[in-house]
Amino acid sequence: TAATFSTQSEALERAFPGAQVERIGHVLTEAQLAKAAGLAGAKLPSALVAAYEARRDGQLVGTAYFDAHRVHSQQETLMIVVDPDGRVEDLQVLAFAEPPKYLAPSAWMKQFLGRALDDRLRLKQDVQGITGATLTARATTKAVRRTLAIHAVLRAPPVTGHRSPLTGRPAP
C-alpha cells in the first residue's frame, strides 16, 4: 500500500517557512547531463529538472528538488533541499509505495544533513546502510548524489570559450 506523507507544497512550506518559492524549469544540455552523470556516478533519468528556489528578503536561502525513483518494485519520492553552499539542508520522504518495513528511519536520513557531494558520500563509505532495507538505502543515497550533482551543474558558471581581445583571459 502506497503511503503519501506530504504534498510538494506542504513540504516546501515546511522547508522554507515565510520564504518566496519559485519553480524554475531547466533543460540540461548534453554537456551538463554528462557532467552531472559523472559527478553523480550514474546516468540521469532526464534532462528536465525542476528547481524550487526559496528566497527571503531577496536572498537565496535554499533550493529544493523532488526526486521520484524506484526502490525495489515501487516508487519513492524525496524532497532534497540544498543550501546556498551546496550542502544537504533537508531530506524528506514525501511518498513511499514499498512495504512500510522498508521505509528509511528518520534518524538514518539525518546522516545526509550538512553533506556536500564528494567521493565518500556513498553507501558503505560515509553512508551507513539499513539492515533489511539495503535497496532503500541505495536508492536514497543515489537520489542525494544525483540531486547534489544536478545542483552543482546548474550553479556552475557558463563556459563561453571566448577570450577577451584586451586581456586574452576567458570572457565572462
Side-chain angles (χ1 to χ4, degrees):
T1 58
T4 301
F5 304 110
S6 187
T7 66
Q8 282 189 357
S9 57
E10 290 167 345
L12 288 167
E13 181 57 37
R14 269 197 317 274
F16 305 116
Q20 289 72 46
V21 179
E22 180 184 5
R23 182 189 187 278
I24 301 172
H26 299 276
V27 179
L28 301 180
T29 64
E30 287 296 323
Q32 288 175 316
L33 270 173
K35 177 73 173 167
L39 291 170
K43 185 178 174 191
L44 271 62
S46 173
L48 302 176
V49 175
Y52 294 78
E53 291 188 355
R55 296 180 185 281
R56 278 195 201 91
D57 301 321
Q59 294 292 319
L60 181 68
V61 294
T63 307
Y65 300 87
F66 295 92
D67 190 293
H69 51 267
R70 198 167 57 108
V71 174
H72 181 260
S73 60
Q74 302 295 320
Q75 290 283 310
E76 171 182 54
T77 302
L78 301 176
M79 180 181 73
I80 301 155
V81 176
V82 183
D83 72 16
D85 295 324
R87 297 181 178 279
V88 176
E89 184 173 312
D90 194 12
L91 176 59
Q92 296 179 26
V93 179
L94 303 189
F96 192 77
E98 294 287 353
K101 68 181 180 179
Y102 298 126
L103 181 63
S106 59
W108 180 85
M109 302 283 273
K110 287 180 181 169
Q111 69 184 308
F112 291 98
L113 302 183
R115 292 300 306 263
L117 182 62
D118 61 38
D119 287 339
R120 305 260 337 136
L121 187 62
R122 296 184 190 280
L123 200 55
K124 297 182 181 172
Q125 290 191 22
D126 282 0
V127 179
Q128 302 297 313
I130 305 171
T131 303
T134 302
L135 295 176
T136 302
R138 185 177 299 140
T140 301
T141 302
K142 285 180 176 181
V144 170
R145 285 191 64 83
R146 198 169 36 246
T147 298
L148 289 172
I150 289 167
H151 186 77
V153 167
L154 291 176
R155 294 288 167 245
V159 178
T160 63
H162 301 294
R163 295 195 172 270
S164 165
L166 296 175
T167 65
R169 294 186 184 142

